[in-house]
């Protein structure tokens, strides 16, 4: 064995080297830039996962909403200050122009002339009638979350709940369902006029009509293609862009809709690339493969000085929610003790690396009802926290049952939980456990109230405090996971809903907030969100609003001013 | 004719029982000691075990203590390996993390080996139907996607054990162990089957010894060598699995540190604070290499045919062999 | 030979049935269901959805219906992707993962096998230690760390390669490298071990004694026999690669089947979970079968049981 020449071995070695060399050479090819005559107006954005659905009446996820905002337009829409402006409707209905009846119960929307679908066929009020009635169809499926927002429409709750509840199911006959459907107060008077009747007057109805359940869908397409109607190339919409490609789990391509009634968008094309890994997405951004991505919090220290870096205030609040019907959090003094043990500034410094607004209030700045003094009773004070806990009967945490923080295993969930756990230990002497669950398990527990403490992050769907207070804190509200119930708060919320004067309404919400926070300590608000993202310098004209979805700037991404410069 | 299709990989040749005496183990140890890489590996493994055992004595801060003023600091006199996002000392977390990682590695293999031995011996006894059944069962378990099955199993129990580090660990041991045993079972079975060819086995059986007794007393000890080697390779694989689970969010409940969790946590800051990933990744890498070299060394050492200088003694009674060696 | 083949093929059925049954039970034991989403659904809606997809029926009935559907080639629909047929959801992923895995396999074989042979020929010398160390180093880092290191170096720093996506040559390089590190080391080790063993054989010693050159000895005598055990494990290894490493797929934004599986678990998308597991089971079982057949063809003793 010692007498060997290297020839045989060299052969294999050369082969291996050759293979590697081939691979290496392939790497050295130049980049292929797509340079046509001018600069291609293509915007590449990262999304974290494949959209669940792009069906407006079924959607609920932030990513899906961002995409639908490019594909569809409702009767009305938002401008950059979040005012409601006319979209497919010729003008925003009001009492002055006769669009809204004196009693506020009837809305008439006059459509623009010449509206067309992205396949060229005419778009009429009948399409809106179909779409809205479809929204309340109890057999529709999809995220049934937003339906109750629109129950102010006549006949809507009856139709939507026609199948009863699991405890008391109902089995209405076909014609009964049809009758209920006809009973929904949405009617196309003619091709150009849509009439909607409400059961009570509402300050927020126009906001609701600007949201995605109010986007129209084409009857014929859904009939012929069923659930596959949302695929790339099949989806028919009425907005500035159309869906030309949807390679599942890979990317979506949106291109200008030639039949759009409005001004042509500045962008010719948008590519939404599915990149699940945030760190890899950041690298892709560095590598020039995408033009826009969220700034990873862990990199914020170095990114703050990067010219591509942008920080925009969001209409959002994040806090620690207590389950008010589970020991030991059924005692408001205990809740208050825990709330006062959390150093919010420390949280913003560590978990958010400085990018957030520490707060003790729930309704964020920029919203009517915002109160800079809100939640003062919950401000950070370790001493006070300890004495409150002793007052509640658990001096130094003695006798306290095991407390658990339940959260989703995503980064901010984990970091937040670890931070709060340590705070409770240091400032209150309480050893909390952390349960990290995957999303469905978490939803199951959270939804059924099987938790003690959990985090809640709330983004505004539309700029009105009703969205912030009623849905979370009203007794029996769909998102009231804390099991909270306080009749004075309910009364305030109900009064505010009926209140015509916005200032008076804001005061009512403020008062409700005061009870929820300072008296009942239902939750410990921690921060108002500031979203951090990176945009390439050659992308111009982006405008950010406080209700942007997953893709920041999505509300106004289709505006004419958005442009891509040479790069 | 015996079925051999699972015994096809024979890096561990089946040598007659007589040759495998206590003398062989000693010889093996001698050979192992001569293998520098293997010794280095063994040394590192022992070092890691020591660190794990004495972690609370050698760490410098409580591993979960956060420091709002020291987020993402680089290595310094105060913090030898820097701090993470929440200001926790990485060095302290690393040494404490050794406990979890090593226990994951070792305990999963204990589960795997226990299962594998039982199944392998039972299958190797020579009863055709039992063998068939067990091997098909092994095939079926083997057909499962490893990590994917672990994820499924961990997900089933996750919600029930989510708050407790110990219980989550137990689920992990069992899950990872359950996907690792088929290899050991096949190995053991193959060894036993070929060993049973030997004359002395036939002799013993003819004399009235039951198959089970023969298997347990004579054959099993010989399979231990290869089984240990396989388990040695399985340990780092288990540690990897733990890191993978932590990466997708199915790891231990926070804040318990483990090397896998440290890697997963540091991953997000890899561009601007690469020191956070470097330390635990290096620790895992070195431990893996240590176990690999040790395993390779064990395999080489236990294979007498590689010992070119040893006299080939076959079919000699044990004591005769001994005398021969002593004389030499 | 044919009877052996038939017997083994027939065994595939109960094995796959077993895989299907265990997976089915396990996935229905994972708490939470497909309807537990971002925002909680009202119970009436959940009830209705369960009825629509037959999820309110007893487990064994659901399993039975699934099997029946399977016989007709129907893998069910994906709950998370608006009822897209599971077959459609995973077929794209399968192609991608298969290509990725195949390429990784090629690279590992091209690098690992020669490395192992060299190490065996130069046993316990510098080259042996070096080769083994090199191979093991690549395999000692969790592959997602390898992946991100490659990305940081070749993409964000030197802008040589694209990070994300799948379809072009360049997009394949980094993921394939990250994926092949472990198999390379594995193959190198196994090749080394079996080459060492073969080198001890009498017929090899005869060849040396005859004065044959290293090349002749290696290629004609050693390689063929040394590769047999390598092939044994290469089979299941290839199967493992083919089904896709979900971590690499997530990192490089590759729409493969491993990623689809993890997404399905987190989404409780039962149809996709079953589909991917069955596919994987089939691949592994087939790979094992292929190797067994090769052995049976080579060694007649095996065929007669």
């Amino acid at each position: 064995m010692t007498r060997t020449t290297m020839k045989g071995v060299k052969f294999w070695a050369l082969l291996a080297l050759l293979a590697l060399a081939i691979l290496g050479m392939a790497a050295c090819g130049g980049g292929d830039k797509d340079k046509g005559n001018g600069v291609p107006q293509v915007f590449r954005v990262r999304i974290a996962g494949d959209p669940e659905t792009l069906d407006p009446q079924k959607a609920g996820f932030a990513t899906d909403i961002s995409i639908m905002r490019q594909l569809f337009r409702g009767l009305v829409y938002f401008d950059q200050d979040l005012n409601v402006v006319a979209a497919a409707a010729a003008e925003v209905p009001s009492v002055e122009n006769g669009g809204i009846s004196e009693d506020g119960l009837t809305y008439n929307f006059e459509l623009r002339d010449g509206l067309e679908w992205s396949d060229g066929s005419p778009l009429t009020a009948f399409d809106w009638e179909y779409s809205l009635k479809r929204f309340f169809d109890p057999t529709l499926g999809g995220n049934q979350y937003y339906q109750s927002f629109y129950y102010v429409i006549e006949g809507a709750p009856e139709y939507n709940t026609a199948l009863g509840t699991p405890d008391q199911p109902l089995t209405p006959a076909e014609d009964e369902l049809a009758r209920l459907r006809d009973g929904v107060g949405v009617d196309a008077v003619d091709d150009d006029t849509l009439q909607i009747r409400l059961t009570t007057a509402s300050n927020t109805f126009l906001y609701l009509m600007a949201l995605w359940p109010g986007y129209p869908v084409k009857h014929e397409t859904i009939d012929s293609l069923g659930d596959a109607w949302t695929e790339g190339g099949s989806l028919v919409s009425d907005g500035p862009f159309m869906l030309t490609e949807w390679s599942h789990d890979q990317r979506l391509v949106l291109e200008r809709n030639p039949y759009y009634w409005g001004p042509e968008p500045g962008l010719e094309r948008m590519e939404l690339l599915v990149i699940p890994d945030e760190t890899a997405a950041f690298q892709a951004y560095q590598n020039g493969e995408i033009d826009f991505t969220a700034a990873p919090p862990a990199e914020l220290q170095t990114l703050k000085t990067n010219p591509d870096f942008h920080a925009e205030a969001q209409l959002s609040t994040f806090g620690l929610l207590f389950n008010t019907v589970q020991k030991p959090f059924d005692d408001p003094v205990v809740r208050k003790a825990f709330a006062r043990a959390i150093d919010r500034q420390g949280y913003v410094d560590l978990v958010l690396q400085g990018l957030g607004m520490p707060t003790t209030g729930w309704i964020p700045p920029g919203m009517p009802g915002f109160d800079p003094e809100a939640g003062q009773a919950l401000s950070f004070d370790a001493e006070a926290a300890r004495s409150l806990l002793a007052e509640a009967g658990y001096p130094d945490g003695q006798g306290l049952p095991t407390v658990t923080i339940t959260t989703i295993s995503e980064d901010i969930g984990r970091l937040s939980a670890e931070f709060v756990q340590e705070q409770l230990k240091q400032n209150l002497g309480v050893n909390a456990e952390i349960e990290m669950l995957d999303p469905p398990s978490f939803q199951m527990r959270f939804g059924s109230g099987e938790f003690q403490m959990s985090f809640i992050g709330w983004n505004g769907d539309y700029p009105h405090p009703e969205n912030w207070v009623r849905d979370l804190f009203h007794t029996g509200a769909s998102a009231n996971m804390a099991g909270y119930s306080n009749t004075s708060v309910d009364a305030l919320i109900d009064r505010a809903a009926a209140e015509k004067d916005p200032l008076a309404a804001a005061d009512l919400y403020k008062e409700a907030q005061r009870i929820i926070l300072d008296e009942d300590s239902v939750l410990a608000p921690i921060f108002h969100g500031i979203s951090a993202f990176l945009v390439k310098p050659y992308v111009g004209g982006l405008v950010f609003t406080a209700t942007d979805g997953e893709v920041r700037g999505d509300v106004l991404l289709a505006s004419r001013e958005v442009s891509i410069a040479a790069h | 004719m015996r079925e051999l299709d699972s015994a096809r990989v024979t890096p561990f040749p089946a040598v007659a029982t007589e040759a495998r005496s206590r003398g062989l183990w000693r010889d093996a140890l001698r050979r192992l000691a001569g293998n520098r890489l293997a010794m280095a590996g063994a040394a590192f493994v022992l070092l890691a075990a020591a660190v794990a055992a004495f972690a609370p004595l050698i760490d410098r801060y409580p591993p979960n203590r956060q420091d709002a003023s020291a987020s993402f600091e680089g290595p310094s006199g105060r913090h030898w390996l820097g701090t993470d996002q929440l200001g926790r000392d990485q060095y302290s977390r690393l040494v404490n993390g050794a406990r979890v990682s090593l226990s994951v590695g070792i305990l999963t293999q204990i589960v795997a080996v226990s299962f594998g031995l039982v199944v392998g011996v039972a299958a190797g006894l020579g009863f055709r139907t039992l063998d068939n059944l067990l091997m098909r069962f092994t095939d079926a378990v083997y057909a499962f996607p490893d990590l994917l099955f672990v994820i499924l199993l961990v997900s089933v129990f996750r919600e029930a054990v989510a708050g407790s580090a110990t219980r989550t660990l137990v689920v992990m041991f069992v899950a990872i162990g359950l996907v690792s045993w088929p290899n050991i079972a096949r190995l053991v079975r193959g060894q036993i089957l070929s060993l049973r060819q030997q004359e002395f086995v036939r002799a013993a059986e003819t004399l009235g010894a039951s198959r089970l007794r023969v298997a347990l007393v004579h054959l099993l000890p010989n399979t231990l060598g290869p089984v240990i080697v396989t388990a040695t390779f399985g340990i780092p694989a288990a540690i990897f699995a733990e890191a993978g689970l932590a990466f997708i969010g199915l790891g231990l409940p926070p804040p318990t540190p483990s090397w896998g969790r440290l890697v997963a946590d540091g991953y997000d800051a890899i561009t601007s604070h690469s020191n956070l990933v470097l330390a635990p990744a290096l620790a895992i890498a070195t431990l893996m290499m240590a176990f690999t070299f040790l395993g390779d060394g064990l395999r080489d050492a236990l294979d007498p045919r590689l010992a070119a200088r040893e006299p080939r003694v076959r079919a000699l009674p044990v004591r005769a062999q001994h005398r021969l060696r002593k004389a030499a | 030979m044919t009877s052996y083949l038939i017997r083994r093929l027939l065994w595939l059925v109960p094995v796959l049935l077993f895989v299907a049954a265990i997976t089915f039970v396990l996935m229905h034991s994972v708490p939470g269901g497909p309807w537990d989403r971002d925002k909680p659904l009202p119970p009436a809606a959940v009830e209705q959805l369960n009825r629509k997809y037959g999820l309110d029926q007893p487990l064994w009935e659901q399993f039975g219906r699934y099997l029946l559907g399977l016989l007709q080639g129907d893998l069910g629909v994906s709950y998370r992707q608006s009822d897209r047929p599971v077959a459609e959801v995973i077929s794209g992923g399968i192609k991608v993962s298969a290509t990725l895995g195949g390429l990784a396999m090629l690279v590992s074989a091209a690098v690992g096998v020669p490395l192992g042979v060299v190490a065996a020929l130069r046993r316990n010398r510098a080259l042996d230690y070096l080769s083994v160390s090199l191979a093991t180093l690549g395999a000692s880092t969790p592959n997602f760390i390898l992946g991100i290191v490659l990305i940081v170096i070749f993409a964000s720093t030197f802008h040589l390669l694209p990070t994300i996506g799948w379809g072009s040559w360049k997009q394949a390089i980094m993921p394939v490298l990250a994926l092949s590190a472990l198999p390379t080391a594995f193959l190198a080790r196994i090749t080394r071990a079996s080459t060492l063993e073969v080198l001890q054989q009498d017929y090899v010693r005869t060849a040396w004694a005859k004065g044959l050159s290293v090349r002749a000895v290696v290629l004609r005598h050693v390689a063929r026999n040394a590769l047999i055990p390598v092939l044994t494990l290469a089979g299941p290894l290839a199967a493992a690669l083919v089904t896709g490493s979900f971590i690499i797929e997530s990192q490089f934004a590759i729409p493969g089947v491993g990623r689809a599986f993890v997404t399905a678990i987190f989404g409780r998308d039962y149809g996709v979970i079953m589909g991917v597991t069955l596919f994987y089971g089939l691949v592994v079982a087939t790979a094992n079968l292929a190797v067994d057949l090769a052995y049976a063809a080579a060694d007649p003793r095996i065929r007669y049981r």
Side-chain angles (χ1 to χ4, degrees), chain A residues 63-75:
Chain A
T63 313
D64 309 353
I65 291 168
S66 287
I67 301 175
M68 289 188 304
R69 277 181 176 152
Q70 318 311 318
L71 296 171
F72 295 93
R73 278 294 177 268
L75 293 165

Side-chain angles (χ1 to χ4, degrees), chain B residues 8 10 37 267 270 289 292, chain C residues 129 148 197 232 251 292 295:
Chain B
R8 62 192 98 95
T10 53
L37 270 181
Y267 177 82
I270 200 165
M289 283 183 38
T292 307
Chain C
Y129 289 152
I148 198 70
E197 205 187 289
T232 312
Q251 218 172 33
D292 283 350
Y295 263 92

Side-chain angles (χ1 to χ4, degrees), chain B residues 1-5 8-13 35-37 128 132 136-137 139-149 151-153 155-156 159 186 233 240 243-244 247-248 250 263-264 267 270-271 277 281 284-285 288-289 292-293 296 299-300 303 305-306 312, chain C residues 4 8 11 15 18-19 22-23 26-27 29-31 123-124 129 132-133 136-137 139-142 144-145 148-149 152 182 189-190 192-193 196-197 200-201 229 232-233 236 246-247 251 261-262 265-266 273 276-277 280-281 284 288 291-292 295 301-302 304-305:
Chain B
M1 249 352 227
R2 296 284 170 207
E3 205 210 331
L4 290 173
D5 67 14
R8 62 192 98 95
V9 182
T10 53
F12 316 108
N35 183 339
R36 274 171 292 173
L37 270 181
R128 186 86 60 82
N132 217 1
R136 293 294 81 88
F137 173 62
D139 282 345
V141 176
Y142 198 60
F144 269 99
D146 287 9
L147 208 52
L148 307 191
F149 179 74
I151 290 173
L152 201 53
L153 208 55
S155 300
V156 170
E159 191 245 333
R186 283 183 163 192
F233 292 138
F240 263 34
F247 187 66
I248 56 172
L250 288 177
V263 169
Y267 177 82
I270 200 165
T271 327
V277 177
I284 294 180
M288 169 132 186
M289 283 183 38
T292 307
F293 293 146
D296 271 343
R299 177 202 277 142
D300 286 357
D303 179 358
R305 297 194 303 188
L306 290 180
R312 298 272 191 121
Chain C
Y4 182 70
R8 290 304 305 272
W11 268 110
V15 166
F18 177 77
V19 172
I22 298 285
T23 311
L26 276 181
M27 77 181 183
S29 315
V30 184
R123 179 172 155 250
N124 283 343
Y129 289 152
V132 172
S133 304
T136 317
L137 187 66
S140 299
T141 331
F144 57 93
I145 296 297
I148 198 70
V149 168
V152 170
L182 187 67
R189 256 208 327 266
I190 302 289
R192 177 182 175 279
L196 279 177
E197 205 187 289
Q200 300 293 336
Q201 299 293 333
T232 312
L233 291 154
F246 61 86
I247 289 179
Q251 218 172 33
F261 182 83
V262 178
I265 293 213
F266 285 137
I273 297 176
V276 176
T277 315
Y280 184 98
V284 175
N288 283 336
V291 173
D292 283 350
Y295 263 92
R301 291 180 300 172
I302 296 175
Y304 307 105
R305 294 178 53 205

Side-chain angles (χ1 to χ4, degrees), chain C:
Chain C
M1 186 61 194
T2 7
S3 67
Y4 182 70
L5 173 63
I6 293 175
R7 254 182 298 130
R8 290 304 305 272
L9 274 176
L10 284 177
W11 268 110
L12 269 181
V13 177
V15 166
L16 287 178
L17 204 63
F18 177 77
V19 172
I22 298 285
T23 311
F24 195 81
V25 169
L26 276 181
M27 77 181 183
H28 278 278
S29 315
V30 184
W35 323 120
D36 288 308
R37 300 207 169 138
D38 219 33
K39 298 184 169 128
L41 278 187
V46 173
E47 163 78 10
Q48 199 197 92
L49 284 166
N50 283 340
R51 230 181 300 152
K52 175 176 171 193
Y53 294 103
L55 291 174
D56 53 347
Q57 292 176 339
L59 266 190
W60 56 267
E61 232 184 85
Q62 289 186 46
F63 187 55
R65 257 186 314 115
Y66 181 78
L67 287 180
L68 270 167
L70 209 58
L71 286 174
Q72 295 164 359
D74 175 18
L75 287 168
V77 295
S78 163
Y79 304 142
R80 288 297 193 150
Q81 288 197 34
S82 333
D83 293 354
R84 257 176 97 212
V86 170
E88 202 185 294
V89 172
I90 66 180
S91 59
I94 286 174
K95 270 183 251 149
V96 171
S97 293
T99 320
L100 176 62
L103 283 174
M105 196 64 209
L106 268 171
V107 170
S108 336
V111 175
V113 170
L115 208 59
V117 172
V118 164
L121 289 174
R122 290 271 171 279
R123 179 172 155 250
N124 283 343
R125 309 253 193 80
L127 204 50
D128 179 15
Y129 289 152
L130 194 63
S131 316
V132 172
S133 304
L134 213 67
T136 317
L137 187 66
S140 299
T141 331
N143 58 8
F144 57 93
I145 296 297
L146 257 181
I148 198 70
V149 168
L150 285 173
I151 290 178
V152 170
I153 298 177
F154 291 105
S156 14
T157 317
F158 294 117
H159 305 294
L160 283 173
L161 293 173
T163 319
I164 56 177
W166 184 256
S168 78
W169 250 125
K170 291 201 255 169
Q171 285 169 319
I173 295 178
M174 287 194 292
V176 167
L177 280 180
L179 203 54
S180 57
L182 187 67
T184 306
F186 190 61
L187 282 179
R189 256 208 327 266
I190 302 289
T191 314
R192 177 182 175 279
S194 78
T195 310
L196 279 177
E197 205 187 289
V198 167
L199 284 173
Q200 300 293 336
Q201 299 293 333
D202 290 336
Y203 64 87
V204 173
R205 290 163 150 234
T206 320
W208 292 131
K210 279 204 285 183
L212 287 180
S213 72
V214 174
R215 157 112 63 100
V217 176
V218 169
L219 287 185
R220 241 183 288 155
H221 299 284
V222 177
R224 237 180 320 161
N225 294 298
L227 285 180
I228 294 175
V230 178
L231 282 174
T232 312
L233 291 154
L237 185 65
L241 283 176
V242 160
T243 58
S245 159
F246 61 86
I247 289 179
I248 295 290
E249 288 175 14
S250 297
Q251 218 172 33
F252 290 92
I254 295 174
V257 90
R259 200 176 99 188
F261 182 83
V262 178
T263 313
I265 293 213
F266 285 137
R268 310 289 190 263
D269 202 344
Y270 298 140
V272 176
I273 297 176
M274 288 297 290
V276 176
T277 315
L278 280 176
F279 164 68
Y280 184 98
L282 190 62
V283 170
V284 175
T286 315
N288 283 336
L289 180 62
V291 173
D292 283 350
L293 284 178
Y295 263 92
D299 185 351
R301 291 180 300 172
I302 296 175
R303 299 182 227 158
Y304 307 105
R305 294 178 53 205

